[in-house]
Structure formats: structure tokens, C-alpha cells
Amino acid sequence: MIVIHSEEHRLQAGRSELNDGQLVPCYEKPARADIVRARIEAIGLGPIMEPTRHGITPLERVHDTGYLGFLQTAWDEWVVEHGADIDALPLNWVAPGMSRRRVPRSIDGRLGYYSFDAGTPITAGTWRAATAAADSALTGAARLRAGDRSAFALCRPPGHHAGRAFYGGYCFLNNAAIAAQSLRDGGAGRVAVLDVDYHHGNGTQEIFWERGDVLFVSIHADPTDEFPYFCGHADETGAGAGEGANLNLTLPWGTDWSIYAQALAAAAERIRDFGADALVLSLGADTYGGDPISRFRLLSEDFLRMGAAIAGIGLPTLFVMEGGYAVDDLGVNVANVLTGFEQG
């Protein structure tokens, strides 16, 4: 399996995030990608290549141009107002009854306008790291179009929480959605996106909400209890042309493999029924029992079973890295999914 990865991920290295009422060191950090790459190299999963640069056009197929412009200039504008000694974090957000008709002029206002949490710092290297991650996903999609059975885009920062015109949850550009759109533009009639991250892929859902050509299926912790809280419920099925093309499979805290496997089987059945030509797999490994910010109980060996089940769907598959914050075990867990797929 070809692995696509850029060392420019290191340019996104936030100092702190707001969590549990205090500023703490960022859980989303360069060591995450480093340990996954090290494990892939140790087991000889496949060659590792740098991504091809694709420019901004594929990003504009998914994201709002004003939002992309904001991401490109946000750090420089923040430095003018606040200096470079602290990361850019938002101060306030739009609440019900407040208007989003005008984009604020102030950088502080625009941070709140385009974000939904205070856990996703913008730094000097955010734009370069995020675009390198998107290029990794796009390069993986190109491998599938060229006939590869599978590819792994080792993206960092992750992407599934980023919507058409918002960021949050450590995500700036929606790598999986960008790849799915690229596959559609490259000739795939239908594409499925399966998100196995512990947290709901709210950004991916928002991007494809009214699309009938891209199926989005997410297996995640019940948002009644868990981030991102305000979407990801089972009764959210899409709208307009996308009605029925969105499936949320919500699971309770404490879910182990016996419960998770049933949801994964249901997801696989829905994807087969959809008749997709390719599958984009948002691979979050924060379903692991040892993850510090999640509450499922999957074991490392369960990720082998997960990979085999995904292989059983029988589609060309692009794996796109998302979450997973138990850094010491992350490499083994991610590699187990890919190994299970290869052996499946």
C-alpha cells in the first residue's frame, strides 16, 4: 500500500488549546504523525512518497473562497494585532439570533466567524501544513484513479471537522471531502465516505448534506454526550438531492468491539447498497480504549478486524488520517487497520 506523507505537517505545532476550562498543551501535535510513520516503516507496509502539489483549485471545489482567503492571511493579521508570541484563538462565536450576514473586519471577529471551538490554534505554519495534508489526500485519490486498490494519506492536521467555511476540532481543510470530490471529478459516478473516528465528522456531513452522489456514513460517539455535540444524530439523513445519503450510527460511551462491529457491518451494507465506485475512509484511531479524550474501549487487535471488515466492502479505498491521541499506541493501531485491510 502506497503511503503519502509530507514533513510539512510539522509546521502546525500549536502551543495550547482550551480544554476543560483551561489552556493545555495541544493533543493534536507532530508526534502523532511521526509515530504512525515510524510504525509503517517498521512493518514495511509500503513505499512512502511526498504528495504532488495540486494548487488551490481542488480546495475551492469543496471550500468557500472567502474562507480559504482567511486561512491564508489569518496568522499575519493576528501578529499585527497581538504579536507572534501566542497562537491565534477565537474570542467569541455567533449565537442564535446573531447575524452572519457580514464578515467582521477585525481578525478577532473573523476568527470567531469562521471557527466553532477554541481548541484549534492557527499558527505561522497552519496554511502550509493544511495544504500539504490536502495534497496528500489528493495524491492518494490520484493513485486510486490510476488503478491502485488502496492508498494511505497520512494527513496532519486532520480534516473531518472542517466544513465548507469553518474550522475546528483540530481541522482546517477537509482532506477526505477534497479527496472524494477529486474522485468524482476524475470520473467516479458515486463515492462513499466512511468515517470511523470517535467524533462525528460534522464538516464532511455539512459539505455533502445536499449531495446525492456522495454517501457519508459516520460511526461515532453519541453527540448528546460528546463533541461536537450539535450534529451527528441518527435522524440527520441529508436534504434535497442528498436526502438518504447521510447515515449517522451513534454509539454510547464504553462501546467495545462487540458493539462496534455491528455498526461497522451496518455501514458496510449501506455502502454496498449505494453502489459507490470508490471509498474514502476517514481513519480516526481515537476509538481506542486508551485514548485520553475519548470513551470507547477498542483494543489494538480490534483495529485488525476493522481493516478486514473495510476490505470486505470490496471498493478501491483511500485511507485518510484523522484523529487518535494515545500517541504511544497510535502507530500500532493505525497500522493494524491498514494491515487488516491488506490481509482481508
Side-chain angles (χ1 to χ4, degrees):
M1 182 186 297
I2 194 81
V3 178
I4 307 100
H5 177 58
S6 171
E7 286 298 307
E8 288 195 342
H9 80 89
R10 300 181 187 284
L11 297 174
Q12 174 62 16
R15 297 174 176 90
S16 59
E17 64 175 88
L18 184 63
N19 192 295
D20 292 336
Q22 57 187 330
L23 287 174
V24 299
C26 292
Y27 287 103
E28 205 296 290
K29 53 190 176 182
R32 297 179 58 250
D34 292 342
I35 201 161
V36 173
R37 176 169 181 150
R39 181 63 179 178
I40 286 169
E41 291 175 333
I43 66 173
L45 179 73
I48 301 175
M49 64 178 289
E50 285 281 328
T52 302
R53 294 299 186 189
H54 291 79
I56 200 166
T57 300
L59 311 185
E60 293 174 332
R61 295 286 290 137
V62 167
H63 291 289
D64 173 73
T65 55
Y67 170 65
L68 294 173
F70 158 77
L71 287 180
Q72 290 178 73
T73 64
W75 174 253
D76 290 339
E77 295 180 53
W78 173 265
V79 170
V80 170
E81 290 294 321
H82 302 286
D85 293 334
I86 52 175
D87 296 338
L89 289 172
L91 174 66
N92 67 313
W93 293 272
V94 178
M98 299 173 77
S99 172
R100 291 190 88 253
R101 291 184 298 112
R102 293 182 178 86
V103 180
R105 181 181 299 115
S106 161
I107 182 58
D108 291 281
R110 276 182 289 134
L111 286 166
Y113 183 88
Y114 285 118
S115 70
F116 70 88
D117 73 6
T120 311
I122 290 179
T123 73
T126 295
W127 176 249
R128 284 180 60 188
T131 52
D135 281 330
S136 296
L138 286 163
T139 303
R143 298 293 304 197
L144 262 60
R145 290 198 303 272
D148 285 12
R149 174 179 179 251
S150 61
F152 174 42
L154 178 46
C155 297
R156 188 188 161 269
H160 72 147
H161 291 305
R164 183 174 178 271
F166 62 80
Y167 72 96
Y170 311 141
C171 304
F172 303 95
L173 298 174
N174 195 311
N175 307 309
I178 290 166
Q181 184 61 53
S182 175
L183 289 166
R184 281 286 291 114
D185 292 341
R190 287 186 156 197
V191 176
V193 180
L194 173 58
D195 192 325
V196 298
D197 192 278
Y198 173 81
H199 303 96
H200 177 244
N202 61 293
T204 314
Q205 173 172 297
E206 186 257 357
I207 288 166
F208 296 120
W209 183 248
E210 296 185 354
R211 295 271 296 273
D213 57 331
V214 179
L215 172 70
F216 179 60
V217 181
S218 181
I219 308 170
H220 54 269
D222 189 337
T224 302
D225 301 311
E226 192 57 84
F227 183 95
Y229 300 111
F230 309 115
C231 60
H233 299 278
D235 61 356
E236 298 165 13
T237 58
E243 177 60 46
N246 194 92
L247 176 62
N248 288 320
L249 299 166
T250 64
L251 299 174
W253 284 346
T255 288
D256 61 12
W257 179 252
S258 66
I259 298 171
Y260 195 94
Q262 297 175 49
L264 185 55
E269 181 179 5
R270 179 68 185 93
I271 292 167
R272 292 190 198 97
D273 290 345
F274 181 70
D277 299 303
L279 174 64
V280 177
L281 195 291
S282 277
L283 177 52
D286 43 2
T287 50
Y288 178 58
D291 195 274
I293 59 174
S294 306
R295 301 196 187 190
F296 282 1
R297 296 178 181 171
L298 268 60
L299 307 175
S300 290
E301 54 265 33
D302 294 330
F303 291 98
L304 286 165
R305 302 183 182 101
M306 181 185 294
I310 294 163
I313 297 172
L315 290 174
T317 301
L318 171 62
F319 293 88
V320 177
M321 187 69 200
E322 302 287 0
Y325 308 99
V327 175
D328 291 345
D329 300 300
L330 183 60
V332 169
N333 294 337
V334 170
N336 277 359
V337 174
L338 305 176
T339 300
F341 181 90
E342 291 281 84
Q343 298 173 349

